Amino acid sequence: MNRLAFITQLFLLVPVSAGATTQLLKYDAQISWLKAGELKISIDKTIAKFRTRGSVTTSRLIRPFFNWRGSFEGAGHIHDAKPITTYYVLAQTDRKGTSRREIQDKILVVEDVDGTTNVSEAPIGTDIISAIFVSEGCYQGQRVHDGEDSYTIRLLHSAKTTLQQATPYYSGQTRHCVYSTSLNNRKTRDVEVWSAPVGGIPTAVRIQVEIPRAPDGVLRLRTGE
């Protein structure tokens, strides 16, 4: 294990706090009628701190055309009900190999597939995973990042709505949040998030992301069989 990975493991082994709530969530990803993959995430959270860890894999159906998998880990604090990332790691593997991005102390370290390492200033904002999955209700921040680029995010609409989905996905009353994101003052995509109490904890039960020149990508939380 290299030094960077060793420090990462030490950091993530530190407990968030006694009394933290823990969620283990599983989402199915879909584009149009096609099952695209799966996202698994664990969230440890208190009033003041949070930690996330998860993985993303493509489905067998599309793997012959696009074989990708990733894992992510993050931690930070919560201020005015808004998650603020202080640590984030994203590892991605495709046919070319594995790359890794780590953000800590406002520094971004990139380990590329060719073995080179680059250090630069970290993108501004909370990582998009924490913004969506840790926030209770609509995310109120103005900047998010994907481990590479920093995006402006704007809340366009927030309302209570009834969500109807097939089993095993959640149906019922939700908080519906609609966001617009932009990069360098150019709109990139809209993001919609429906959240509802799951086990007494406000949880994203459906996420819909606009994909240019393609049907929207959808993540749906599995709540029962």
Side-chain angles (χ1 to χ4, degrees):
M1 181 182 294
N2 62 35
R3 181 174 179 271
L4 191 60
F6 179 70
I7 293 173
T8 299
Q9 293 301 316
L10 286 180
F11 184 90
L12 290 166
L13 285 171
V14 178
V16 171
S17 176
T21 60
T22 299
Q23 290 181 288
L24 302 174
L25 306 172
K26 178 180 175 181
Y27 294 81
D28 288 335
Q30 190 169 331
I31 300 175
S32 186
W33 56 268
L34 181 66
K35 182 177 180 181
E38 178 182 89
L39 181 148
K40 295 179 180 178
I41 181 172
S42 67
I43 304 171
D44 297 308
K45 184 169 61 173
T46 67
I47 294 176
K49 297 180 180 180
F50 71 89
R51 181 175 63 207
T52 62
R53 181 179 299 176
S55 63
V56 182
T57 55
T58 52
S59 67
R60 290 184 179 180
L61 190 61
I62 68 171
R63 208 167 290 163
F65 311 99
F66 180 66
N67 189 2
W68 183 93
R69 66 182 185 274
S71 62
F72 56 88
E73 300 168 337
H77 60 273
I78 298 172
H79 179 69
D80 290 338
K82 181 177 68 177
I84 300 172
T85 307
T86 55
Y87 183 82
Y88 181 70
V89 174
L90 174 65
Q92 306 176 83
T93 301
D94 57 20
R95 288 187 174 91
K96 295 180 181 178
T98 299
S99 63
R100 188 174 186 276
R101 296 176 175 270
E102 177 173 329
I103 295 174
Q104 189 172 6
D105 297 328
K106 299 181 180 181
I107 298 297
L108 169 64
V109 179
V110 179
E111 297 177 355
D112 215 337
V113 293
D114 60 4
T116 59
T117 299
N118 297 292
V119 180
S120 61
E121 185 177 353
I124 299 171
T126 293
D127 73 274
I128 187 66
I129 295 291
S130 298
I132 290 176
F133 291 96
V134 177
S135 294
E136 296 188 4
C138 300
Y139 177 67
Q140 299 295 328
Q142 297 179 332
R143 304 284 290 190
V144 293
H145 70 78
D146 59 5
E148 181 176 3
D149 295 312
S150 179
Y151 297 82
T152 299
I153 185 168
R154 184 163 61 97
L155 179 63
L156 302 177
H157 176 74
S158 171
K160 292 183 179 180
T161 60
T162 300
L163 179 65
Q164 296 291 338
Q165 299 187 115
T167 304
Y169 307 110
Y170 175 90
S171 291
Q173 292 298 307
T174 66
R175 167 63 62 179
H176 182 207
C177 308
V178 182
Y179 308 92
S180 176
T181 64
S182 59
L183 177 65
N184 299 326
N185 295 319
R186 293 184 178 181
K187 179 183 174 181
T188 53
R189 64 198 61 188
D190 288 338
V191 179
E192 298 183 61
V193 181
W194 290 258
S195 60
V198 175
I201 303 172
T203 304
V205 294
R206 179 185 174 100
I207 300 113
Q208 189 162 323
V209 181
E210 180 183 14
I211 300 175
R213 298 180 297 278
D216 290 355
V218 178
L219 286 171
R220 294 186 292 178
L221 175 67
R222 301 184 70 90
T223 57
E225 299 299 336

